[in-house]
Amino acid sequence: SRKKENTGFQCGHCGSKVLPLTNGSFRNHCPYCLYSKHLDENLGDRSSLCQGLMEPIELIYHTKKGYQIVHRCCTCHKVQRNIIAVNTVQEDNIFLLLN
């Protein structure tokens, strides 16, 4: 179920404890270092066999979805975008990408 997708986890990159989102969305990356894990082949399918860490490489703005973090898998180099977490517990530290 979709509820299972919004769970807390320990970040595989920095080790921080990451809490589930409280804004009705789903957590898929660390709010502190912005790293993610390669879980999806297609949005939300959780079918990736790679499971590599995904490095945040860019912050972009989409007119309908707002700000998104672009991630690149450190193992297979797949690139994916994720909407930033705002108006919730542990908001994303997007300042890491603004240098």
Side-chain angles (χ1 to χ4, degrees):
S1 82
R2 294 287 297 187
K3 187 170 184 161
K4 288 182 181 180
E5 292 178 31
N6 189 32
T7 59
F9 58 91
Q10 183 171 357
C11 178
H13 181 256
C14 73
S16 293
K17 182 179 179 182
V18 179
L19 302 175
L21 290 179
T22 57
N23 65 1
S25 191
F26 303 98
R27 175 78 75 189
N28 60 11
H29 56 269
C30 176
Y32 303 109
C33 70
L34 304 179
Y35 270 73
S36 185
K37 190 171 185 180
H38 188 176
L39 299 175
D40 297 343
E41 283 306 314
N42 297 301
L43 184 63
D45 67 7
R46 299 297 190 249
S47 69
S48 175
L49 299 176
C50 177
Q51 304 290 301
L53 283 177
M54 297 192 78
E55 177 184 21
I57 58 170
E58 185 178 10
L59 184 66
I60 62 170
Y61 184 78
H62 187 281
T63 56
K64 294 184 180 177
K65 297 180 180 183
Y67 284 100
Q68 296 178 308
I69 300 167
V70 179
H71 288 99
R72 180 178 51 228
C73 182
C74 296
T75 303
C76 73
H77 309 291
K78 181 170 179 132
V79 174
Q80 294 179 327
R81 291 183 266 176
N82 292 296
I83 296 171
I84 64 167
V86 294
N87 301 321
T88 186
V89 63
Q90 294 180 322
E91 290 188 351
D92 288 344
N93 181 8
I94 60 168
F95 295 109
L96 294 172
L97 294 170
L98 297 178
N99 45 6

